[in-house]
Structure formats: C-alpha cells, structure tokens
Amino acid sequence: MTVYYRPIPQELGGCWSLAGGWVRFSQVERLERGRAPAITDQIPEDVLTRLTAPRASLMGLGMDRPRIMGIVNATPDSFSDGGSYAPLAQGQALIAAGADILDIGGESTRPGALQVPVQDEIDRISAVVAGLSGRIPISVDTRKAAVARAGIGLGAAMINDVSGFDFDPDLPDVVAAARLPVCLMHAQGLPDSMQDDPRYDDVVLDVYDALEARITRAEQAGIPRSQIVIDPGIGFGKTQTHNLAILRRLSLYHGLGCPILLGVSRKRFIGSIGKAGHAPDRMPGTLALTLAAVAQGAQIHRVHDVAAIRQGLRLWQAVRDNEGAEEE
C-alpha cells in the first residue's frame, strides 16, 4: 500500500528546509488509505530528498520565495471579471501592481463554461501576449496545442493547462519541443459538467496520485520534472469540503518534487464561507488563503488582486524576517 508523507510546517526552527524555500519542518504526517494519520520524524531517504531539494528557477524566477501570477482574462464570460476590462491595459496594470508572472487566457474554464473554437481563443489572446511579452514572464492558460503554439510564437514563456494534458494529446509535444515550463492542474471532468457531482475516495490522496500520473506522462513526452509545476485544481470538480481538505494538507504535494501553483482567487467557496456574494468582494478571503498556502510553502499564487496580495506578502515578509519588508 502506498504511504504518503506530508511535511508539517514549523513557525520556528525545524531540521529541514521544505523545497529549498522559506518553510522548515522536522516531522511529517504519515498517510495511508484506510488508516488513521500518524505523526513521525522517521522519513525514508528518497522521500526526504524530494521534500527538501530546492526547486529549479522557472522563467528566470527563483522558487525560494512566493511568486504572484496575475490573471488576465481575455474572455467575455469569466466568472469573476469577464468583459469588464481591456485585457492589454489590465495586464499593464497588474505589472505595475507587482505581478511576477501574467497568466493570459482566452477560454473561460469556470463551472458550466463551454469550449471555445481554437481560432477564437487564439484571436482573443494574440494581441495581449504580443503586447506584454518581454516585460515579465507570460503564461498562456490553454488546454489546446494550437493555442499554445500560437502563444509561444508570440513570446509566451510557460503553458498553464487546466486539464493536466488530459484534453489535447498533442499539447505535451508542443511544450516539449519549445523547452518551456508547464503547469499541470488536476481537474475532475470538463468545465461544463465538473461541478455536477464530484466524488473521491480520498480527495487529498486521489489528487496526489492523479498529479503524479500527469507528471509521468509529461516526462515521457520529454518535459523534465524541473520544468513542471503542479496545481491541485481548487474548484475544478471539487466541492467546498474537497477544497478545504486539500488546502489543509497542501504541503503534501511537495512530495511530487515540483513547485506548487495555487489558484483560489475569488472562488465561490470563499464567498460561501466569507459571506461575499460578488466575486470582486472576495479579496480578503483570497489573501487569507494565500497566506495560509505560503505557510505551507506554495510557490506560485494565481490571483486577480495583485496589489492587495503583494501588500499582504510584504507584511508577511516583514514579520517573518524581523527586518522590514523585502526591497524590490
């Protein structure tokens, strides 16, 4: 039976640095299906190596501190802000607000969203990617090989596939040929039906296993693990209970040996718990979850409200370092 090890973050001290970053730990939570969790400091050497090895830089960005990925929806129907701004101007504003990366998407993947024709998706993102590439790293949020190829040709430095290479079998080869990093997200089902009745035996471990399989598939296509980011897919085929279970044990996913990207920004369960019906009013809840994820070592945070999240991270840094906020 598979045994999983979740590092338990410590506020002070700790024997080991988690993923070469800012979180330290001395114990792990030992998880097995059908058994109660157990706390131990006995960690197999190969597991400890995966948990502690520093993650490689991506797109010129070190993974030894939290990074902010600003969301640019070049779509008319995003759940949060679709059609409410000019995408190019929004991208410029997010750069000014302190984004480290921009994630540009031309197809909404909100619950209930329908697939967009390839050419429409390319047309939506092209001017935005071309206009912003070269300023900070650009990620193209797409499930489709043709869209990824177009984005790469315009200067994109990363592909963010919410299907984790499940949707388009040609996409792994496109990414491998371009020698670019990719984010592989976990989703159960397609956007138009994924929230109908999501079920898991153990959501935390099932998502881990599914991400491990996606990583293996990417490596077989020629993409090195050092170029792979993983995203547990909060809200993608998951209930509120599923989302919270993953967030409580987020540090488990460091065992996959890849940086963790977290996308919780403005999502519906934040509104349900935080009593915020309108998506733009969910920034405080987004910040709370972001800082909780930072405390578990998550490296990349995909958010709408870059300025607010940047401010929160500056204060977190100031308290943590006891030396004032980082210089930027």
Side-chain angles (χ1 to χ4, degrees):
M1 181 174 290
T2 303
V3 179
Y4 307 80
Y5 296 87
R6 182 184 73 87
I8 299 173
Q10 292 184 216
E11 288 293 327
L12 298 171
C15 297
W16 304 291
S17 173
L18 181 56
W22 56 93
V23 173
R24 300 192 68 82
F25 70 102
S26 296
Q27 294 180 308
V28 294
E29 184 182 35
R30 192 175 188 272
L31 302 170
E32 292 183 74
R33 295 178 187 273
R35 294 190 178 185
I39 306 300
T40 180
D41 59 4
Q42 301 301 304
I43 309 171
E45 194 63 34
D46 61 326
V47 173
L48 186 61
T49 297
R50 286 199 304 275
L51 290 174
T52 59
R55 304 307 184 234
S57 295
L58 294 170
M59 303 172 288
L61 300 172
M63 293 291 106
D64 56 350
R65 68 181 180 90
R67 297 291 182 176
I68 296 177
M69 172 184 271
I71 300 169
V72 180
N73 289 315
T75 62
D77 58 346
S78 167
F79 82 94
S80 174
D81 52 17
S84 66
Y85 55 67
L88 183 58
Q90 176 71 0
Q92 292 167 336
L94 294 181
I95 293 171
D100 297 300
I101 311 162
L102 291 181
D103 193 41
I104 300 170
E107 178 182 60
S108 176
T109 50
R110 61 178 171 76
L114 300 177
Q115 185 177 339
V116 172
V118 168
Q119 192 56 53
D120 289 356
E121 190 176 342
I122 292 172
D123 290 344
R124 289 176 179 181
I125 69 165
S126 292
V128 191
V129 175
L132 296 172
S133 63
R135 299 187 60 183
I136 64 173
I138 301 297
S139 164
V140 169
D141 180 358
T142 186
R143 303 177 287 171
K144 301 167 189 168
V147 179
R149 193 178 292 111
I152 292 166
L154 293 167
M158 176 174 163
I159 300 301
N160 181 14
D161 178 8
V162 298
S163 82
F165 286 160
D166 273 357
F167 185 80
D168 188 337
D170 294 330
L171 186 51
D173 289 339
V174 170
V175 175
R179 299 179 182 273
L180 292 184
V182 64
C183 180
L184 303 177
M185 196 191 80
H186 174 272
Q188 187 183 86
L190 296 173
D192 61 347
S193 59
M194 63 187 180
Q195 291 302 108
D196 288 353
D197 186 25
R199 294 172 181 267
Y200 299 87
D201 291 330
D202 182 316
V203 66
V204 175
L205 303 185
D206 289 354
V207 169
Y208 186 103
D209 290 345
L211 287 171
E212 189 167 46
R214 285 159 169 77
I215 292 168
T216 298
R217 183 167 52 190
E219 290 181 314
Q220 290 171 344
I223 303 169
R225 190 171 295 234
S226 61
Q227 291 285 88
I228 298 172
V229 178
I230 53 102
D231 178 348
I234 298 297
F236 281 77
K238 299 172 184 74
T239 65
Q240 177 174 298
T241 298
H242 295 147
N243 292 332
L244 292 173
I246 289 169
L247 291 168
R248 289 188 190 106
R249 287 190 162 103
L250 186 65
S251 62
L252 171 73
Y253 300 103
H254 290 291
L256 293 165
C258 302
I260 297 170
L261 185 153
L262 189 69
V264 296
S265 185
R266 298 184 179 181
K267 291 198 170 176
R268 182 178 301 174
F269 79 102
I270 296 177
S272 298
I273 297 171
K275 309 301 181 185
H278 297 289
D281 296 334
R282 299 170 190 165
M283 185 282 294
T286 300
L287 177 58
L289 292 180
T290 298
L291 293 177
V294 166
Q296 294 196 59
Q299 291 94 344
I300 304 174
H301 304 270
R302 186 179 182 274
V303 301
H304 298 84
D305 302 291
V306 167
I309 302 301
R310 173 61 72 194
Q311 182 183 106
L313 286 176
R314 285 195 180 105
L315 271 295
W316 165 82
Q317 183 83 54
V319 172
R320 176 181 173 272
D321 290 352
N322 197 30
E323 296 174 357
E326 64 180 79
E327 295 294 331
E328 296 188 15

